Amino acid sequence: SPEKADRRTRPALQIAAFVVVSLIIYWPLLSAGLFADDYVIVDASREGRLTVWRELFRPVIFLVWRPMLAVTGLSAPLLHAVNIILHGINAALVARLAQRLLRDRSSGLAVGGLFVLLPSGLEAVAWPSGLQDVLMTTFVLLYLVLITDEVRVWWKGAVAMVALVGGLLTKETAIAAPLLAAAIGAGLELPETRHRTWKAAAISLAVVAGFIAIRLALLPVPASYGVDLTRYGIKELLVRPFATLVVPLREQEAYRAPALAIGFVTLIVVSLRLASGRWDWQAVGFRV
C-alpha cells in the first residue's frame, strides 16, 4: 500500500538528508590530509595487521581501511568522507530513536539536527582514526534502533546482535549498549515492546559479559581505563559526560567566550523547566 511504501522510504530519505547536512558542514575536511596516528594505522592496514596497540584490540578499523587503501592508495579525502558520511547516518539513527521515545517526528528531527551540529563531535569526525569512535557509534545506534523496534521480526534481533559484536570489536565502550537499550526500553509506550526490549537487553548483557571475559583473558586492561573508586572519581564518571553535552566546548573556548558557555547551561535549565510543565505526573510512562 502507499502508506507502507511511505514508511519504507521515509527512513532512507531521512538518512540521505542528514548525510547531505553532514557533508555540507564538514566539506572543508576533505582537503585536510592525515594526522598523527593515521599514518601508523594506514601502514598497519596495508600490512594486514589487526592492531597496533599492546593493550587494545580494535580490528574493525583496519578491516575497513585495508580495502579502501588497496583500491585508492593513500586517499585522505576518502578516509575523511567515510567519517563524514557515517556521522550523517548516526544523526539519522539518533533522530529515529528520538522519534520513537518522544512520539513526535519533528522533535526527533530536531534531536538529530542537534547531534549532527554538536561541536563536541568535531574531533572524532575530523580525525580519520576517529573512525573507531564514529563507527562504534553507528553499530551501537543500529543495535538500539533494531532492538527497540515495535515490529517483532526475528532477523532484526539477529542483526542487532551482529551490530553489538561489531561495536565491541570497534571500540570497547560499546559495552554500554545493553544498558542504553534497557534505559530506552523504559521510555517505550507499548508494554510488550518494553518487556521485549528488556529481555533482549538481558541477552545482550550476557554477550557483553562473554566479550569481557575473553578480552581480559587475552589482554590486560589499559592503564588509562583505571579509575580510583573514590567519591571524586565516581562523581567525575557521572558528571563529565553530561557536562560535555551541556557545554560542548574545550576549556580554552569556554574561557574565550564565557557568555556562550553560560548560555548553553541556561538553555538546558530553562528547557528542562518548560518541559517539566508538560509532564503527565499520573501517566504510567512517567512513573517508569
Side-chain angles (χ1 to χ4, degrees):
S1 68
E3 186 179 344
K4 287 184 177 179
D6 181 60
R7 282 202 301 266
R8 285 195 296 268
T9 57
R10 186 180 293 174
L13 292 174
Q14 193 166 289
I15 290 173
F18 276 111
V19 168
V20 168
V21 172
S22 184
L23 285 167
I24 292 172
I25 295 169
Y26 289 104
W27 188 263
L29 290 178
L30 296 178
S31 59
L34 301 179
F35 315 110
D37 292 349
D38 294 341
Y39 296 99
V40 177
I41 297 177
V42 162
D43 290 341
S45 300
R46 283 176 171 159
E47 295 167 7
R49 287 188 280 159
L50 295 177
T51 187
V52 294
W53 304 284
R54 291 182 179 179
E55 300 175 331
L56 300 173
F57 185 64
R58 301 170 179 174
V60 173
I61 184 174
F62 301 91
L63 295 175
V64 171
W65 274 17
R66 189 178 185 190
M68 290 195 299
L69 294 169
V71 172
T72 63
L74 187 60
S75 180
L78 178 59
L79 300 182
H80 281 294
V82 169
N83 280 20
I84 295 169
I85 291 170
L86 284 174
H87 185 57
I89 293 172
N90 290 346
L93 292 172
V94 167
R96 184 79 170 168
L97 279 173
Q99 288 166 357
R100 193 168 289 168
L101 281 170
L102 302 174
R103 304 173 190 95
D104 180 67
R105 186 164 181 263
S106 59
S107 297
L109 292 174
V111 172
L114 176 63
F115 179 90
V116 79
L117 294 168
L118 201 66
S120 60
L122 173 62
E123 183 176 341
V125 179
W127 188 20
S129 296
L131 175 66
Q132 57 193 321
D133 296 289
V134 180
L135 185 56
M136 181 272 293
T137 303
T138 306
F139 278 128
V140 170
L141 288 171
L142 179 61
Y143 160 82
L144 293 173
V145 166
L146 291 171
I147 212 170
T148 58
D149 200 323
E150 292 179 358
V151 181
R152 187 174 186 178
V153 185
W154 70 268
W155 65 263
K156 289 185 178 181
V159 175
M161 291 303 164
V162 171
L164 175 60
V165 174
L168 293 169
L169 293 176
T170 305
K171 193 170 183 180
E172 299 82 357
T173 39
I175 62 174
L179 301 179
L180 290 172
I184 292 171
L188 297 176
E189 188 174 14
L190 298 178
E192 57 268 27
T193 306
R194 189 185 312 140
H195 296 149
R196 189 168 66 245
T197 299
W198 283 341
K199 287 180 182 178
I203 295 172
S204 303
L205 277 174
V207 172
V208 167
F211 168 80
I212 292 174
I214 295 171
R215 169 69 175 70
L216 293 178
L218 298 177
L219 293 169
V221 178
S224 59
Y225 278 29
V227 177
D228 294 331
L229 290 180
T230 62
R231 290 174 62 186
Y232 179 78
I234 295 171
K235 186 273 293 182
E236 289 291 285
L237 280 175
L238 295 173
V239 169
R240 283 192 177 273
F242 293 99
T244 302
L245 289 172
V246 175
V247 185
L249 305 173
R250 295 181 182 275
E251 186 177 8
Q252 55 268 39
E253 293 166 343
Y255 278 120
R256 195 179 305 128
L260 186 58
I262 294 169
F264 277 130
V265 175
T266 303
L267 176 64
I268 294 296
V269 173
V270 171
S271 298
L272 285 171
R273 177 63 189 88
L274 292 174
S276 67
R278 299 169 56 190
W279 290 339
D280 182 358
W281 299 81
Q282 304 303 318
V284 174
F286 177 80
R287 291 198 294 274
V288 171

